[in-house]
Amino acid sequence: MAEEAAVANLGAISDVNTSGNQQKLQLAYLQNEKTDGEIPNLNLGELDLTTDEFILDEVDIHIQANLEDDLVKEALKTGVDLRQYSKQVETELQRIEQASIKDYIKESQNIALLHNQITACDSILERMEGMLSGFQSDLSSISSEIQTLQQQSVSMNIRLKNRQAVRSHLSQLVDELVVPGTMISTILDSPVTEQEFLEQLHELNSKINFAKELSFRETLACSDIQDIVDRLKIKAVSKIREFILQKIYSFRKPMTNYQIPQNTLLKYRFFYQFLLANERTVAKEVRDEYVDTMSKIYYSYFKSYSGRLLKVQYEEVADKDDLMGSRNTIFTLGQRGAILSPAELEGPILVPHTAQRGDSRYPYETLFRSQHYALLDNGCREFLFLCDFFMVAGNSALDLFNSIMGKTLSMFLKSMSTYVSDCYDSIAVFLCIHIILRFRAITAKRNIPALDKYWEAVLELLWPRFELILEMNIHSIRNTDPQKLGLLDTRPHYITRRYAEFSSAIVSINQTFPNERTNALLGQLQVEVENFVLKMAAEFPSRKDQLIFLINNYDMMLSVLMERAADDSKEVEGFQQLLLARTQEFIEEILSPPFGGMIAFVKEAEALMEKGQLDRLKNEEARITQLVRGFSATWKQSVESMSQDVMRSFTNFKNGTSIIQGALTQLIQYYHGFHKVLNQPTFRSLAVRSELINLHHLMVEVKKHKPNF
C-alpha cells in the first residue's frame, strides 16, 4: 500500500514537470518560427482553437512569459534544434523519474512508518484537544463561580459597613442617652462652685439638648431617660438660681466692692447660659433682680458721691455780672487747663472726705472730671460684664445697660442742667465740654458705645451755655463806656488783659477739638476788643499817648496769646499786624519833635528828585544850613531824651527796647537820605556840607545809646 501510494505520487509530479517543460518549449518554438519564416510541426496538445475562450492576447502574454525562462533563453541563444532538444529532455526526465521511483520504493518502509507516526500523532493531538476543551469548560465554570463570589464579597462588605455605621450611631446614641451615676450624684450633692459640678452641668446640658432632638424625631428610647434628665435639670436650675441670687444680694451690703462678686459670676457665666437655654423664667428672674439691684447701687453711689463732691467746690463762683466789662479774675486759665492732660484726665478720682479733711477746694471742672471719670470707668466695666455674662450684644446690650444706668444718667443730666442754667464761668463750661470730648474718644477707643448718647446729651447742655456766656461778654465789651472807667492810663487796660487771658485759654483748649462756632464767636470778641481799645485810645488828648496806649495793649494781648496759642493762629497774626503798624507810627511820632525839620526836608527832596524838580530847592541854603548845624548840635541829647521817654512809656521793657532800636534805625536812614540829597549836583556847592556828620561815625555813636536789658 505504501509503495503504490509513493509510485502514484511520483507519477503525478513527473507529469506536471514534463507538461510544463513541453509547454515552454512549444511556445519558444512558435516564437522561433515567427522569426525564421518556417512552419514547424507543433504539438498543440490540449490547445483548442475553436473555443470562444481562446484569446490571442493571452497567448502572447504566455509566450512572452516563457521566453523569460533561463532554459529557453539558453536554447534559443545556442541555436539548438528544439525538437531534438525536447526529445532529449523528455528522455532525461523519464530517467530521473525512474530513479526517483526507485528511491521512493527504497524508502517506502520509512515513509509508511512516518505515515503511521503521523496518524498516531493525530490521535494524540485529538485527545489533547478533548482535554483542552474540558479545561476550557472548567475554566468557564470557575470564572462564573469567581464572579459570583466577588458579588457576594461586595454585598458582604456593604452590609459590614452599614452595620459599622449603625453601630457607631447606636453607640453614640447609647452614650448620649445613658445618664451615669457620677452625673446624678454630682448634680444632686456637689456645691455649684466645684469644677466637677460645672463639668457635669455641661454634660447634662448636652443630654438635655440631645433628648430634645430625639423627641422631635419621635425616638422611643428618649422616653426612657426623659424623666431622670428633667429631674436633674430642675435640681441644677434650683441650685444655680440660689447661687446667683446670693451673689446679687451680696452687692447690697454696705461698703461692698461689687466688682468682686461680679468677677465671681463671670467665672460661672455658663450658669446663666444653662438657665437661658432650659428655664427662661428663672433666667429672667435672675436678670431682673440683677438689673434692679445694680440700678439702685449705681444711683445711690453716684448721688452720694456727687453730693459730697459739691462740698469741696470753690465757694466763690461767677455770676451774671462777672463779665469782661466788669471786674473779675474768672477769665484767667492759669493751671486749670492741666485738667485736660492725660495724667490728670485719667488720674484717680477725688475722695471728698479726704479733700475736706485737708480743707482743699476745687473748681467745678475738676469735680466734673472726677464725677464723669468714675462714670466712664464703672460704665465701661458694667457694659462689658453685661455683654459677657448675659450674652447680649448690639441694641440688646444697650437696652440692658440703660435699664441699669438710666436712672443715674438722668440724675447727672438733671444736676448738670441746674448748674449750667446759673453758670457764668465760661472757662469752666468750656473745660467740661473738652473733658466730655476726650472721654467720648476714650470710650470709642475701647469700643464701648454704651455712653455715646449720654455724652451727646451733656454736650447739648454745655455748648449752648458756653456760646451764651461768650455772647454776653461780647455785648459787655461792646456796651462799655470808656468815660465811665475812671482815670486814663497808658498802661494795658484790665479789660484787654481779661480778653487776652480768656482768648488764649479758649484758643489753646480748642486746638485739640476745633469748633467753628467757637472760632466765630472768638472772632466777634476780638473785633469788639479792638474797637474798645480804639475807643479808649481816643480819650487821650495827644496822638503820642494814644499810640502808647494802643502799643501797650496790643503788646500785652499778643504776649499772653503767644504763651498758649499757636503762632499761626488768627488772633496772634491779627495783633501782630496791629502792633507793627502802631509801632511804626509811634516811631515817626517820637522822631518828629527833635528831627522833624530834617525828616520833612528829606521827604520833600526825595519827592522832587523822583519828579526831576530838585532845582526848586536850590534857594533853600539857609534852611539846609540850619538843619545840618542843628542836627550836629542836638542829636545826642535828643536821642538820650527819646530813649528815656520810650522806656518810661512802655511797661514791657523788651517792647520798649525794640521801639528804641527801631527809632534809631529809622533816624539813621533819614540822615542817610539827607546825605544823598546834599550829594546831588544842586547842593554840591554848599559849604555847609563839610559840617555833615560821617554816617559811619553816627552809627557808632548811636549804638552807644542803645539800651541794654
Side-chain angles (χ1 to χ4, degrees):
M1 293 292 291
E3 293 177 355
E4 291 177 358
V7 171
N9 289 333
L10 290 172
I13 293 171
S14 176
D15 290 341
V16 171
N17 292 333
T18 305
S19 174
N21 289 331
Q22 285 181 348
Q23 186 178 10
K24 291 178 181 179
L25 291 172
Q26 288 173 355
L27 289 172
Y29 183 77
L30 287 174
Q31 184 66 30
N32 189 38
E33 284 296 356
K34 287 180 182 179
T35 57
D36 295 338
E38 297 179 2
I39 302 174
N41 184 17
L42 296 174
N43 183 13
L44 298 176
E46 296 179 355
L47 183 61
D48 186 3
L49 299 176
T50 63
T51 61
D52 295 335
E53 296 177 359
F54 181 78
I55 300 174
L56 292 177
D57 292 339
E58 293 182 1
V59 172
D60 289 338
I61 293 171
H62 286 294
I63 292 172
Q64 186 64 33
N66 287 317
L67 287 175
E68 296 296 328
D69 186 82
D70 293 337
L71 183 62
V72 175
K73 285 182 179 180
E74 183 65 25
L76 292 174
K77 186 176 181 181
T78 55
V80 176
D81 187 355
L82 295 179
R83 287 190 295 270
Q84 183 64 32
Y85 185 73
S86 175
K87 288 180 181 179
Q88 183 181 348
V89 168
E90 185 175 355
T91 302
E92 184 66 24
L93 289 174
Q94 287 177 356
R95 185 184 63 77
I96 292 171
E97 180 180 357
Q98 290 299 322
S100 297
I101 290 171
K102 289 179 180 180
D103 288 338
Y104 271 101
I105 292 172
K106 182 179 179 180
E107 297 293 334
S108 61
Q109 291 182 353
N110 293 333
I111 292 172
L113 180 60
L114 178 61
H115 176 71
N116 291 334
Q117 290 177 349
I118 290 171
T119 301
C121 286
D122 287 342
S123 176
I124 293 170
L125 290 173
E126 185 176 358
R127 288 199 304 274
M128 289 181 66
E129 182 180 4
M131 291 173 62
L132 291 174
S133 297
F135 286 150
Q136 184 178 9
S137 176
D138 292 341
L139 288 174
S140 298
S141 175
I142 291 172
S143 176
S144 176
E145 291 178 1
I146 290 174
Q147 186 175 4
T148 302
L149 290 173
Q150 185 179 9
Q151 292 174 351
Q152 292 176 354
S153 175
V154 171
S155 176
M156 291 175 67
N157 189 34
I158 293 173
R159 289 199 298 271
L160 176 61
K161 288 182 179 179
N162 291 337
R163 289 177 180 178
Q164 288 177 341
V166 171
R167 179 182 178 182
S168 175
H169 286 295
L170 286 176
S171 176
Q172 183 179 358
L173 177 64
V174 171
D175 290 341
E176 293 289 346
L177 287 174
V178 170
V179 180
T182 305
M183 177 184 292
I184 297 173
S185 61
T186 302
I187 297 297
L188 293 178
D189 302 327
S190 297
V192 296
T193 55
E194 290 188 2
Q195 182 64 26
E196 187 179 3
F197 179 87
L198 185 61
E199 294 174 356
Q200 293 300 326
L201 188 66
H202 277 280
E203 291 296 327
L204 177 60
N205 190 55
S206 299
K207 292 187 182 299
I208 292 172
N209 293 333
F210 190 69
K212 289 179 182 178
E213 183 181 351
L214 292 181
S215 64
F216 292 145
R217 301 178 185 174
E218 298 182 355
T219 305
L220 296 178
C222 179
S223 59
D224 295 340
I225 65 164
Q226 191 66 51
D227 182 60
I228 188 170
V229 168
D230 288 342
R231 291 184 180 183
L232 288 175
K233 180 182 73 173
I234 293 171
K235 182 62 176 177
V237 167
S238 174
K239 294 176 71 172
I240 290 171
R241 174 184 176 276
E242 181 180 0
F243 171 76
I244 295 178
L245 290 179
Q246 284 180 353
K247 290 298 178 185
I248 294 173
Y249 294 152
S250 68
F251 295 170
R252 302 175 181 178
K253 296 178 182 179
M255 306 300 294
T256 299
N257 183 357
Y258 61 87
Q259 295 175 11
I260 296 176
Q262 270 188 339
N263 292 334
T264 302
L265 287 176
L266 285 177
K267 289 173 58 179
Y268 302 102
R269 61 175 63 86
F270 181 71
F271 287 174
Y272 183 78
Q273 182 180 346
F274 183 84
L275 294 179
L276 194 63
N278 299 289
E279 198 62 54
R280 287 187 172 271
T281 55
V282 176
K284 185 177 183 303
E285 177 191 4
V286 168
R287 177 168 158 172
D288 292 345
E289 190 65 35
Y290 178 85
V291 169
D292 182 64
T293 299
M294 293 307 297
S295 176
K296 292 177 180 178
I297 289 174
Y298 281 125
Y299 180 79
S300 175
Y301 166 73
F302 279 107
K303 183 179 181 180
S304 173
Y305 183 66
S306 300
R308 286 183 282 121
L309 279 178
L310 292 176
K311 294 180 181 179
V312 295
Q313 184 181 0
Y314 282 132
E315 295 179 358
E316 294 183 5
V317 294
D319 58 30
K320 63 180 179 179
D321 296 324
D322 292 319
L323 302 172
M324 286 188 186
S326 60
R327 294 174 300 159
N328 206 287
T329 58
I330 63 170
F331 303 98
T332 302
L333 182 62
Q335 297 300 317
R336 298 171 71 181
I339 196 71
L340 298 178
S341 65
E344 290 199 25
L345 188 69
E346 299 183 55
I349 63 174
L350 289 177
V351 181
H353 63 270
T354 303
Q356 283 180 302
R357 284 202 302 266
D359 199 26
S360 300
R361 291 292 183 267
Y362 301 94
Y364 178 75
E365 65 270 9
T366 301
L367 310 181
F368 182 88
R369 195 283 315 176
S370 184
Q371 181 188 47
H372 281 81
Y373 188 69
L375 174 65
L376 180 148
D377 192 42
N378 286 275
C380 289
R381 186 182 293 108
E382 184 63 31
F383 183 77
L384 293 174
F385 174 82
L386 295 176
C387 293
D388 198 358
F389 186 78
F390 291 105
M391 298 180 297
V392 289
N395 291 331
S396 298
L398 294 177
D399 292 341
L400 184 59
F401 178 84
N402 290 329
S403 64
I404 293 174
M405 300 295 294
K407 190 176 180 181
T408 300
L409 298 180
S410 297
M411 177 194 68
F412 273 21
L413 291 174
K414 183 178 179 180
S415 174
M416 198 176 311
S417 178
T418 302
Y419 168 79
V420 166
S421 64
D422 196 39
C423 176
Y424 295 91
D425 187 351
S426 54
I427 290 182
V429 175
F430 200 60
L431 285 171
C432 290
I433 288 173
H434 278 264
I435 287 171
I436 294 299
L437 291 174
R438 284 160 173 77
F439 282 169
R440 184 173 65 177
I442 291 173
T443 55
K445 186 177 180 180
R446 296 181 184 180
N447 197 25
I448 305 293
L451 292 170
D452 288 354
K453 290 185 178 180
Y454 174 75
W455 301 139
E456 294 300 325
V458 173
L459 292 175
E460 288 175 3
L461 282 174
L462 295 177
W463 273 119
R465 188 62 187 181
F466 172 73
E467 293 172 358
L468 176 63
I469 299 172
L470 207 53
E471 289 172 353
M472 290 173 67
N473 280 282
I474 292 172
H475 291 300
S476 171
I477 295 175
R478 183 183 300 158
N479 298 330
T480 299
D481 185 357
Q483 295 181 354
K484 296 180 180 180
L485 295 177
L487 184 66
L488 292 175
D489 192 343
T490 58
R491 290 175 296 181
H493 199 274
Y494 69 86
I495 290 180
T496 57
R497 179 169 291 280
R498 289 180 185 176
Y499 161 76
E501 294 286 353
F502 176 77
S503 182
S504 65
I506 300 302
V507 169
S508 62
I509 296 171
N510 198 48
Q511 288 173 352
T512 307
F513 294 91
N515 179 268
E516 292 303 322
R517 175 63 179 161
T518 301
N519 291 333
L521 290 172
L522 285 177
Q524 294 179 25
L525 182 61
Q526 181 179 349
V527 170
E528 294 301 330
V529 170
E530 291 175 4
N531 292 335
F532 167 77
V533 172
L534 292 175
K535 287 191 294 184
M536 285 296 300
E539 296 295 315
F540 291 91
S542 69
R543 182 57 181 167
K544 178 182 175 182
D545 288 341
Q546 291 177 359
L547 290 173
I548 292 172
F549 177 81
L550 291 174
I551 291 173
N552 276 331
N553 280 274
Y554 291 154
D555 177 63
M556 181 274 298
M557 289 188 285
L558 185 62
S559 298
V560 174
L561 282 169
M562 291 183 68
E563 288 179 2
R564 299 185 182 274
D567 292 344
D568 58 350
S569 66
K570 293 189 298 183
E571 291 78 10
V572 170
E573 291 179 352
F575 284 114
Q576 281 177 336
Q577 294 174 1
L578 289 172
L579 178 61
L580 180 61
R582 298 291 79 80
T583 300
Q584 288 298 117
E585 186 180 352
F586 179 76
I587 289 173
E588 295 292 334
E589 187 71 23
I590 62 175
L591 289 175
S592 181
F595 309 109
M598 182 192 68
I599 294 172
F601 176 78
V602 170
K603 290 181 178 179
E604 182 182 0
E606 287 178 347
L608 291 173
M609 285 172 60
E610 289 182 2
K611 297 178 182 179
Q613 300 175 358
L614 189 60
D615 290 342
R616 292 174 58 180
L617 297 176
K618 65 182 180 180
N619 296 323
E620 298 286 342
E621 181 178 354
R623 177 185 176 189
I624 294 171
T625 301
Q626 182 182 359
L627 292 175
V628 171
R629 291 174 179 173
F631 182 87
S632 299
T634 63
W635 75 268
K636 288 184 179 181
Q637 182 181 357
S638 298
V639 167
E640 183 67 27
S641 175
M642 182 177 63
S643 298
Q644 294 177 0
D645 185 33
V646 168
M647 297 311 298
R648 285 194 303 266
S649 299
F650 297 101
T651 55
N652 185 348
F653 287 166
K654 183 178 179 181
N655 185 42
T657 303
S658 175
I659 292 174
I660 292 174
Q661 290 177 349
L664 295 177
T665 302
Q666 188 66 30
L667 175 61
I668 291 173
Q669 289 179 351
Y670 279 133
Y671 199 69
H672 180 251
F674 192 48
H675 269 263
K676 287 178 63 177
V677 170
L678 296 184
N679 284 331
Q680 296 299 314
T682 304
F683 304 114
R684 285 178 183 173
S685 61
L686 295 178
V688 76
R689 289 181 62 248
S690 61
E691 298 180 25
L692 286 171
I693 299 174
N694 181 272
L695 194 61
H696 179 71
H697 176 71
L698 179 64
M699 292 174 64
V700 172
E701 290 296 324
V702 164
K703 286 183 179 179
K704 295 179 181 179
H705 292 81
K706 177 181 176 182
N708 296 314
F709 296 96

